Amino acid sequence: MGEEKGKVSKIRATELLRPFLHRELPVTHQGRGARTRLEMEVLTHKLNLYIDSWMGPRDSRVQGWLLLDDYLPTLLLTLLYLLIVWMGPKYMRNKQAFSCRGVMVVYNLSLTLLSLYMFYELVTGVVQGKYNFFCQDTRSGGASDDRIMNVLWWYYFSKLIEFMDTFFFILRKNNHQITFLHVYHHATMLNIWWFVMNWVPCGHSYFGACLNSFIHVLMYSYYGLSAIPAMRPYLWWKKYITQGQLIQFILTVVQTTCAVVWPCGFPVGWLYFQICYMITLIILFLNFYVQTYKKRGSLPRKEYHNGAVVASMNGHFHGMSSTEGVKHQKLRAD
């Protein structure tokens, strides 16, 4: 009954806004700006109405959190990302590639620290709340649920930060590394986690984010440290990153399936969606792993060129390797 009243009030709000769209505003810069803002508000409202009618009531505990109330900002940021992926290489075609080495060291090590923080907070919150590995709903963890929600918001936001992975490729003219797997993973994760944060922001949602944060500690630390020449002899874990990612996806499927077999009130539709999405990643990453390592007979060796590490694909989009010289480098996966 309460949900029906909410829908009616939203529809009435839309009806109240409609006259303003047809109202004559002064043909000035301010008038056009006011009309554009009003049209955006109506568009946002209609999009929220559609999503809520499809997905059901949101989790009120995250109401008002940055970027979560409206889907439009997340959608527009994703479309902007895809536009840059399309236009960026064209813009850089006749320009000198940027080094970005110093910025990339800071970027990678910053994401290493953020990933370490998220992993620690998730593990601590799960232990504190005595989460059930096989199935955990979104309303039984008490204060731990709040802790998990806070860190999962950072996890969602980190997917926006990670768009920089692609932008560095564009600036450095490593366009061959902007693969379907790369763009698919980056574009979908931000959007998926917007929905997760609005409907299932804790409970069984923690597991995949926890594993992924751990993998990102290994991944971003490798790429940050590999840009420091003195550290290169001590970096031994590159070849294990892709294997770790595949194990991560498989374990997530297993843990998600447990909640289907032994339900606890966590929305089952989310469980089926996560299983399907993980299967797509397993297929894409496994294909990448076979193409990169198994068909070549052995792991590609690392090379250094002009002081920059040139490494093989290692489960992340930042790595580089070369079998045909420094101008044609291998792909890397995330």
Side-chain angles (χ1 to χ4, degrees), residues 47-66:
L47 184 58
N48 285 341
L49 268 179
Y50 174 76
I51 292 173
D52 291 348
S53 67
W54 177 47
M55 300 291 295
R58 304 188 191 192
D59 195 311
S60 60
R61 292 172 293 180
V62 299
Q63 185 176 0
W65 290 24
L66 181 64

Side-chain angles (χ1 to χ4, degrees), residues 80-93 170:
L80 178 61
Y81 166 78
L82 295 174
L83 179 64
I84 293 174
V85 168
W86 178 50
M87 294 296 297
K90 299 179 187 294
Y91 175 78
M92 289 294 297
R93 183 175 300 157
I170 294 171

Side-chain angles (χ1 to χ4, degrees), residues 17-45:
L17 285 171
R18 184 172 289 120
F20 290 98
L21 285 178
H22 301 286
R23 182 172 146 198
E24 290 297 327
L25 293 171
V27 186
T28 63
H29 179 72
Q30 290 182 340
R32 287 193 297 269
R35 184 178 180 82
T36 300
R37 286 193 297 271
L38 188 58
E39 289 173 342
M40 289 297 293
E41 288 175 8
V42 172
L43 176 60
T44 298
H45 184 73

Side-chain angles (χ1 to χ4, degrees), residues 33 36 54 58 73 81 86 154 223-224 295 304 306 328 331:
T36 300
W54 177 47
R58 304 188 191 192
Y81 166 78
W86 178 50
W154 277 106
Y223 290 114
K295 286 194 174 182
Y304 298 93
N306 293 335
H328 182 67
L331 303 175

Side-chain angles (χ1 to χ4, degrees), residues 45 66 93 152 155 182 199 244 270 309 315 329:
H45 184 73
L66 181 64
R93 183 175 300 157
L152 287 185
Y155 184 78
H182 176 95
W199 278 272
W270 287 100
V309 66
Q329 299 168 324

Side-chain angles (χ1 to χ4, degrees), residues 41-243:
E41 288 175 8
V42 172
L43 176 60
T44 298
H45 184 73
K46 287 183 177 179
L47 184 58
N48 285 341
L49 268 179
Y50 174 76
I51 292 173
D52 291 348
S53 67
W54 177 47
M55 300 291 295
R58 304 188 191 192
D59 195 311
S60 60
R61 292 172 293 180
V62 299
Q63 185 176 0
W65 290 24
L66 181 64
L67 293 176
L68 294 188
D69 283 352
D70 303 318
Y71 178 54
L72 190 59
T74 296
L75 177 61
L76 291 178
L77 287 167
T78 304
L79 294 176
L80 178 61
Y81 166 78
L82 295 174
L83 179 64
I84 293 174
V85 168
W86 178 50
M87 294 296 297
K90 299 179 187 294
Y91 175 78
M92 289 294 297
R93 183 175 300 157
N94 299 317
K95 296 184 180 298
Q96 183 69 31
F98 293 89
S99 171
C100 303
R101 181 181 299 174
V103 176
M104 288 182 65
V105 170
V106 175
Y107 168 77
N108 283 298
L109 295 184
S110 296
L111 277 179
T112 300
L113 294 176
L114 177 58
S115 299
L116 184 61
Y117 161 76
M118 293 188 293
F119 175 71
Y120 171 80
E121 283 291 303
L122 287 170
V123 170
T124 306
V126 165
V127 172
Q128 180 188 41
K130 297 180 180 178
Y131 270 35
N132 190 319
F133 172 84
F134 298 100
C135 188
Q136 179 69 33
D137 65 26
T138 61
R139 295 282 181 175
S140 61
S144 293
D145 283 347
D146 294 331
R147 187 173 187 175
I148 296 297
M149 285 189 293
N150 285 327
V151 69
L152 287 185
W153 180 88
W154 277 106
Y155 184 78
Y156 154 74
F157 190 71
S158 73
K159 301 309 163 190
L160 176 60
I161 299 173
E162 288 170 14
F163 282 175
M164 290 301 301
D165 293 359
T166 313
F167 301 158
F168 282 130
F169 283 162
I170 294 171
L171 291 173
R172 301 174 72 197
K173 301 183 76 169
N174 292 333
N175 299 329
H176 57 281
Q177 294 184 351
I178 306 175
T179 62
F180 172 79
L181 170 57
H182 176 95
V183 176
Y184 170 76
H185 182 67
H186 277 65
T188 55
M189 283 293 283
L190 180 69
N191 290 268
I192 288 171
W193 276 92
W194 182 88
F195 284 94
V196 170
M197 288 306 302
N198 270 286
W199 278 272
V200 284
C202 55
H204 216 64
S205 302
Y206 82 91
F207 189 75
C210 186
L211 288 182
N212 190 243
S213 295
F214 175 73
I215 294 297
H216 278 195
V217 170
L218 301 179
M219 185 173 66
Y220 284 111
S221 64
Y222 175 82
Y223 290 114
L225 294 173
S226 66
I228 305 173
M231 294 300 300
R232 291 171 190 160
Y234 306 101
L235 305 179
W236 51 269
W237 61 92
K238 174 181 67 68
K239 65 181 180 180
Y240 300 111
I241 297 177
T242 302
Q243 297 171 7

